[in-house]
Amino acid sequence: MWQANCRRMHNLADWISGTVMGGCVGRNRMDRQGSGRSSTRSKKRGGRNEPLKKERPKWKSEYPMTEGQLRSKRDEFWDTAPAFDGRKEIWDALRAAALAAESNDLELAQAIVDGACITLPHGSLAESYDELGNRYQLPAYALAPPLNLISETANESEAPEHTEKQAPPPPTKQEFQLRVRLSTGKDVRLTASMADTIAQLKKQLHELEEIDLAHQRWFFAGKLLTDKTRLQDTKIQKDFVVQVIVNPNPPVTIN
């Protein structure tokens, strides 16, 4: 997983350096010619700005999380965050900087932050600001793995090659609170079970918020969820967030 992250990090960094940073990169390079790289890091732009610190957040998931679940949780965040707040190019820069910092390449992470003109008031990617004053907040799981992360590689190496994949367990009826974030910025809690379909949850959201079923578009991990999809098919956990785009003017279909 981490080797793949490194490759993704360098690809993102190359793209950002060519298209996102723009004039900021040129300005930083001119600064480095006179004062060197270390002085550029410590320079404060537009108020308080701390250099990126090496410390990463330490956190523990409510349940043991595999590398695949962590990757899915992160992808869901990075795919949906730009649609609700801030600028996409800044989100892309923060994503590349987070991957670089997690790979212990703090120098590259700092260069990405400086090139995108991102201000870190506390020296952490958890909270930052762009040149327009927009605020960006990153959750702990986007910056570091949990303390109770389960290694999938170890489990796969122990399993014999001829072992067939076990069938998924039947849907459970155990209910939990599903967090749904509307495109209006409001968060809603729905009572759901892994056996529920998206159509059933749409009806529940309609009863709570009076949003017509035809005006709801549900997304998870950047993918559109159909009405027949069950929660267990999407691998949604109780602490995940499902995005709902509220479209007051759905497209008209002609039969």
Side-chain angles (χ1 to χ4, degrees), residues 42-92:
S42 59
K43 184 179 66 173
K44 299 182 179 181
R45 304 183 308 270
R48 185 176 69 176
N49 183 29
E50 299 291 336
L52 186 60
K53 299 178 182 178
K54 185 177 181 180
E55 293 78 10
R56 289 183 291 175
K58 295 182 180 180
W59 63 285
K60 187 175 183 180
S61 175
E62 295 182 1
Y63 57 89
M65 181 180 294
T66 65
E67 294 178 356
Q69 289 173 325
L70 176 62
R71 185 164 54 248
S72 176
K73 190 176 180 70
R74 285 179 173 179
D75 289 342
E76 187 267 342
F77 171 76
W78 292 118
D79 290 342
T80 56
F84 290 87
D85 194 14
R87 298 153 56 195
K88 185 178 184 305
E89 60 267 26
I90 300 298
W91 284 113
D92 290 338

Side-chain angles (χ1 to χ4, degrees), residues 2-253:
W2 311 124
Q3 293 178 348
N5 279 345
C6 290
R7 290 194 296 270
R8 294 170 58 191
M9 175 263 294
H10 285 291
N11 290 336
L12 281 171
D14 292 341
W15 177 77
I16 290 170
S17 63
T19 60
V20 177
M21 298 178 183
C24 295
V25 173
R27 184 166 63 251
N28 284 340
R29 286 177 177 171
M30 292 177 64
D31 292 338
R32 290 192 182 99
Q33 291 176 0
S35 59
R37 184 173 297 174
S38 60
S39 61
T40 303
R41 291 189 197 173
S42 59
K43 184 179 66 173
K44 299 182 179 181
R45 304 183 308 270
R48 185 176 69 176
N49 183 29
E50 299 291 336
L52 186 60
K53 299 178 182 178
K54 185 177 181 180
E55 293 78 10
R56 289 183 291 175
K58 295 182 180 180
W59 63 285
K60 187 175 183 180
S61 175
E62 295 182 1
Y63 57 89
M65 181 180 294
T66 65
E67 294 178 356
Q69 289 173 325
L70 176 62
R71 185 164 54 248
S72 176
K73 190 176 180 70
R74 285 179 173 179
D75 289 342
E76 187 267 342
F77 171 76
W78 292 118
D79 290 342
T80 56
F84 290 87
D85 194 14
R87 298 153 56 195
K88 185 178 184 305
E89 60 267 26
I90 300 298
W91 284 113
D92 290 338
L94 289 172
R95 183 176 190 177
L99 287 172
E102 189 173 11
S103 301
N104 295 320
D105 196 341
L106 202 63
E107 183 177 355
L108 176 59
Q110 184 69 58
I112 294 172
V113 169
D114 290 341
C117 296
I118 297 173
T119 300
L120 306 178
H122 306 293
S124 171
L125 294 173
E127 181 184 7
S128 61
Y129 295 85
D130 62 15
E131 286 186 308
L132 302 180
N134 296 316
R135 185 186 185 191
Y136 300 82
Q137 290 182 293
L138 304 186
Y141 62 78
L143 301 174
L147 298 176
N148 54 342
L149 181 71
I150 300 176
S151 175
E152 295 177 332
T153 305
N155 295 337
E156 292 175 357
S157 61
E158 295 175 358
E161 297 181 357
H162 63 276
T163 303
E164 297 181 358
K165 294 183 178 180
Q166 296 181 353
T172 175
K173 293 294 183 180
Q174 184 177 1
E175 294 183 343
F176 62 94
Q177 292 295 307
L178 178 66
R179 184 180 175 188
V180 174
R181 177 167 296 167
L182 308 181
S183 56
T184 58
K186 182 178 182 180
D187 284 5
V188 180
R189 298 279 183 174
L190 301 180
T191 301
S193 71
M194 299 305 290
D196 288 342
T197 63
I198 298 301
Q200 292 173 314
L201 297 174
K202 282 185 177 181
K203 294 179 181 178
Q204 188 178 159
L205 182 60
H206 169 68
E207 295 173 355
L208 293 176
E209 299 294 326
E210 297 183 354
I211 302 175
D212 291 342
L213 304 182
H215 296 171
Q216 302 179 31
R217 297 177 64 199
W218 288 52
F219 290 86
F220 179 72
K223 297 181 180 179
L224 177 66
L225 304 180
T226 63
D227 289 347
K228 296 182 179 181
T229 303
R230 296 185 182 273
L231 287 185
Q232 81 154 11
D233 300 330
T234 64
K235 298 182 180 179
I236 295 175
Q237 304 294 333
K238 64 179 181 180
D239 59 340
F240 285 12
V241 179
V242 180
Q243 309 290 344
V244 176
I245 303 297
V246 180
N247 183 9
N249 299 309
V252 178
T253 57

